[in-house]
Amino acid sequence: MCVGRPKPGWQYPPVAVTTLTERGELSRAARSFMRTESGSAVLLLSAAVLALIWANIGGYEEFWHTPLSFSVGSLDLTLDLRHWVNDGLMVLFFLSVGLEISRETVLGELRGVRALATPAVAAIGGLILPAAIFLLFNASGPAAGAWGIPISTDTAIVIGMLALIGPRCPDQLRVFLLALAIVDDIGAVLAIAIFYTHQVNYTALLLAVVLFLALLGLRFVDFWRTPIYVVIAVVMWVAVLESGVHPSVVGVALGLLVNAYAPRPRDIARVQVLGGSLLVDPSPERALAAQAAAAEAVSPNERLQLRIQPWSSYVIVPIFVLANAGVVLSGEAIAAAVASPLFWGIVVGLTVGKLVGVSLGTWVALRLGIGRVPDTLRWGQLIGGAGLAGIGFTVALFITELALTDPVLVNDAKIGILAGSILAGVIGWLIFRLAGERGGQCAPSGLPVLPPRPWRPPA
């Protein structure tokens, strides 16, 4: 007779268990992160289409320039809706980036010098070459400072596109692209903080640094009280905003401060003891104690990421795209953009610069022997991933708003971002179709697999 639950004492058949790091597979946290990122790609693209329709119908710019004020005592903070999105909500996006960087360097795909070296060198190539190509087209003039637009890769869309058009067994390529995107994000944030900050209020900046050091001290004494962190973070955000430095650095800094650690044996033992106590004598006190022990067994980094990542991917980034991707696509506007060196600097930077820069960086790291990639990856897959890395959207739009003030140039840049990102996706698809499947091997996931149902006790 079939049974849905095994009898007491029954055990699953033994299976060989290989750790994820031994096979170069995705960590649990990385898989969760990319499921959210790839799922949000649909919303992000939908928001972009809606923004384009809205901008061409009318009323788009007027709405996003609506001022919104908050006053507390003598402090009056007035920004338009677009800046509340870009300078406020997007801090949570960069917080998620900081959390991911911290977690991956401690627990995940960026742990270890050789595991990090290849995607890091590839990312550096993908940062430098697009900027250099952009400056070939825009060596001087009002658009020269916008070289940061083509340097960044949009993780959400790349992971979503990889699921649609990537190779038959893309897991190891996802690992490589995730690590590359994290280093890429670090470079983009540094560029924003260093090169797109104009006037600095050093008093406000000093206050922000003091608050950061206070949070750093709380981490070292192992003190975690969410309300206190939130209050300090909000004051720190206001201080950085007043200083003239872009508040995106606040999100990344806060994310880097949140502890990430693997489950510790003593925490697991505590969960077992308190959970057993609850089973023996259920009571509210024991339930609270078991709940607290279970939460303590998971690092604050992963707990916070679990709460923030869905909001970042499914709400904040789509709202950001809705607020920034709107561009007039009349024949006159497109003709003006195509005639602009700004447009071609972005398009060629995203397509040729990213493809060649990431591929060349990967080759250099492997040739010098300073890094490695999973054995199952082939050059066709790596080059296809490098082509997809030219999909720059979220941070590219973000830097556009920081680097350019002329509405005509902003319009040209946004058309270039759309055209370059679409073309990069097509190039990646072509590479995968022509070379990405050749010689590829599927590796087992390394996770135990349950026997198929129905489960039966051994004879």
Side-chain angles (χ1 to χ4, degrees), residues 331-365:
E332 182 181 350
I334 294 174
V338 172
S340 167
L342 173 61
F343 170 88
W344 289 108
I346 293 171
V347 170
V348 180
L350 288 173
T351 54
V352 178
K354 277 290 185 181
L355 172 62
V356 176
V358 171
S359 300
L360 184 61
T362 304
W363 181 84
V364 168

Side-chain angles (χ1 to χ4, degrees), residues 29-30 33 93-112 116 155 178-190 219 248-249 251-261 301-302 305 309:
F33 175 81
F93 164 78
F94 285 105
L95 171 61
S96 178
V97 170
L99 290 170
E100 185 63 18
I101 293 170
S102 174
R103 185 175 62 197
E104 291 300 314
T105 53
V106 174
L107 302 174
E109 318 309 329
L110 301 184
R111 181 177 54 184
L116 174 60
T155 311
L178 174 61
L180 183 148
I182 290 172
V183 179
D184 184 279
D185 286 339
I186 295 172
V189 170
L190 288 175
R219 170 176 175 167
S248 58
V249 299
V252 176
L254 292 175
L256 293 175
L257 286 178
V258 181
N259 271 331
Y261 52 76
N301 182 296
E302 292 191 86
Q305 185 73 294
Q309 183 64 29

Side-chain angles (χ1 to χ4, degrees), residues 37-124:
E37 288 294 292
S38 58
S40 73
V42 175
L43 277 178
L44 194 153
L45 294 174
S46 300
V49 172
L50 181 58
L52 290 172
I53 295 173
W54 187 359
N56 286 273
I57 291 175
Y60 178 82
E61 290 295 334
E62 292 80 359
F63 175 82
W64 291 110
H65 281 106
T66 303
L68 179 64
S69 300
F70 286 96
S71 299
V72 179
S74 60
L75 177 64
D76 180 31
L77 191 59
T78 301
L79 300 170
D80 63 24
L81 291 179
R82 177 173 289 153
H83 281 90
W84 276 114
V85 172
N86 294 357
D87 298 347
L89 287 180
M90 283 297 284
V91 172
L92 292 178
F93 164 78
F94 285 105
L95 171 61
S96 178
V97 170
L99 290 170
E100 185 63 18
I101 293 170
S102 174
R103 185 175 62 197
E104 291 300 314
T105 53
V106 174
L107 302 174
E109 318 309 329
L110 301 184
R111 181 177 54 184
V113 176
R114 295 199 69 205
L116 174 60
T118 303
V121 176
I124 292 170

